[in-house]
C-alpha cells in the first residue's frame, strides 16, 4: 500500500524525468536546427565559390580573346604584345620612326622566353635575313642599350653575344639566316625590322 509520502516522491520523480526529457528534446531540436543552418550556409558558400571560379575563368577567356582582338590585322600576338615584321627595308632610324608612328617601337627582347617565342614563331616563317631590333650602342661604344627605355641589354641572361661589333656599327639586328645570331651593323644600312606594341587598337603597318 502506497503512503502519501511515496506518492509524492513518485510524482516528483516523474516530473523531474519529464523535465529532463523535455530539455533533451529541446537540445536535440536546437542541434538539428544548427546542423541544418550549417548545411545551408555551406551550400551557399559552395555556390559563391563556384560563381567566383566561373567568373575568373570567364575573365581569363575574355582577357585572352581581347588581346587577340586588340592586335592590328597582320600583327601577331606573342607574350602579351603585338609583333610585326616589315614588308620592306629601312635604315635603323627610319625603322624606329615607323614603329613609333604606330604607337610602338622596334622590338625589345628582354628575356629568353620572348626570344624563343619569336624565333620559333614569327621569325621562323618570315622573309628577310637581317631584321632590325631596338638595340644600339650609339650613346657609348660597347654599351648596348634598348633605345626606347635606355635599359642595358642583358646578353648573359639571353645567352647571346654581339658579333661584327666594329666602332662604326652601332645598331643591332637579328641574322635570321645565321641561327638568329645578333650582330652589329651600320645604322645607315637597310634591313627589315620588327615592331612591337601593347594591344590597344587596330591599324595596319606596310
Amino acid at each position: 500500500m502506497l503512503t502519501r509520502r511515496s506518492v509524492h516522491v513518485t510524482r516528483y520523480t516523474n516530473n523531474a524525468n519529464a523535465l529532463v526529457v523535455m530539455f533533451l528534446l529541446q537540445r536535440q531540436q536546437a542541434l538539428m536546427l544548427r546542423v541544418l543552418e550549417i548545411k545551408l550556409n555551406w551550400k551557399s558558400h559552395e555556390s559563391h565559390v563556384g560563381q567566383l571560379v566561373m567568373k575568373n575563368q570567364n575573365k581569363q577567356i575574355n582577357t585572352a580573346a581581347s588581346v587577340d582582338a586588340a592586335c592590328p590585322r597582320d600583327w601577331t600576338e606573342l607574350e602579351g604584345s603585338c609583333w610585326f615584321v616589315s614588308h620592306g627595308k629601312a635604315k635603323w632610324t627610319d625603322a624606329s620612326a615607323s614603329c613609333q608612328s604606330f604607337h610602338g617601337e622596334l622590338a625589345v627582347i628582354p628575356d629568353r622566353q620572348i626570344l624563343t617565342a619569336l624565333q620559333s614563331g614569327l621569325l621562323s616563317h618570315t622573309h628577310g635575313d637581317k631584321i632590325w631590333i631596338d638595340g644600339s650602342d650609339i650613346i657609348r661604344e660597347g654599351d648596348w642599350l634598348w633605345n626606347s627605355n635606355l635599359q642595358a641589354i642583358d646578353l648573359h641572361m639571353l645567352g647571346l653575344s654581339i658579333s661584327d661589333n666594329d666602332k662604326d656599327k652601332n645598331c643591332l639586328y637579328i641574322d635570321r639566316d645565321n641561327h638568329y645570331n645578333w650582330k652589329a651593323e651600320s645604322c645607315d644600312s637597310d634591313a627589315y625590322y620588327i615592331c612591337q606594341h601593347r594591344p590597344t587598337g587596330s591599324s595596319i603597318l606596310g
Side-chain angles (χ1 to χ4, degrees):
M1 182 176 180
L2 295 175
T3 63
R4 182 176 296 180
R5 179 179 175 82
S6 62
V7 170
H8 179 73
V9 171
T10 301
R11 287 179 179 175
Y12 177 81
T13 302
N14 290 339
N15 289 337
N17 290 337
L19 289 174
V20 171
V21 170
M22 184 178 298
F23 172 78
L24 292 175
L25 288 173
Q26 289 176 346
R27 184 176 178 82
Q28 185 180 25
Q29 185 178 23
L31 288 173
M32 291 177 65
L33 289 174
R34 179 58 180 160
V35 169
L36 180 60
E37 181 183 1
I38 291 172
K39 287 182 177 181
L40 290 174
N41 288 339
W42 178 249
K43 286 186 177 181
S44 176
H45 173 73
E46 283 183 321
S47 177
H48 180 64
V49 171
Q51 290 174 0
L52 289 177
V53 171
M54 184 65 69
K55 184 177 181 180
N56 186 53
Q57 290 175 343
N58 289 338
K59 183 178 180 181
Q60 291 175 346
I61 292 171
N62 291 336
T63 299
S66 66
V67 170
D68 286 339
C71 284
R73 183 164 58 87
D74 296 331
W75 290 58
T76 300
E77 190 279 322
L78 284 173
E79 300 296 329
S81 290
C82 301
W83 307 80
F84 181 87
V85 178
S86 67
H87 298 306
K89 296 181 179 181
K91 293 177 174 55
W92 186 87
T93 52
D94 293 336
S96 180
S98 178
C99 293
Q100 291 173 20
S101 71
F102 288 88
H103 310 288
E105 64 247 349
L106 281 172
V108 173
I109 306 172
D111 56 53
R112 290 286 302 176
Q113 183 174 343
I114 292 177
L115 177 63
T116 301
L118 287 172
Q119 289 177 350
S120 61
L122 186 63
L123 295 180
S124 64
H125 41 70
T126 190
H127 49 267
D129 51 350
K130 296 182 178 181
I131 302 174
W132 289 129
I133 56 178
D134 195 48
S136 76
D137 67 346
I138 295 173
I139 296 177
R140 183 177 178 179
E141 179 65 30
D143 289 343
W144 288 93
L145 307 175
W146 295 117
N147 184 63
S148 59
N149 57 27
L150 299 182
Q151 296 294 311
I153 299 175
D154 193 340
L155 294 170
H156 177 72
M157 185 271 295
L158 289 166
L160 297 168
S161 60
I162 296 174
S163 57
D164 299 337
N165 193 9
D166 298 331
K167 287 186 177 180
D168 61 341
K169 297 180 178 181
N170 301 119
C171 291
L172 192 59
Y173 75 90
I174 296 176
D175 189 348
R176 193 178 70 91
D177 290 345
N178 189 16
H179 308 290
Y180 301 102
N181 287 335
W182 289 18
K183 296 183 178 180
E185 182 58 274
S186 168
C187 300
D188 291 328
S189 297
D190 289 325
Y192 295 97
Y193 53 95
I194 180 168
C195 297
Q196 75 173 111
H197 76 74
R198 295 291 179 182
T200 54
S202 61
S203 54
I204 301 174
L205 181 62

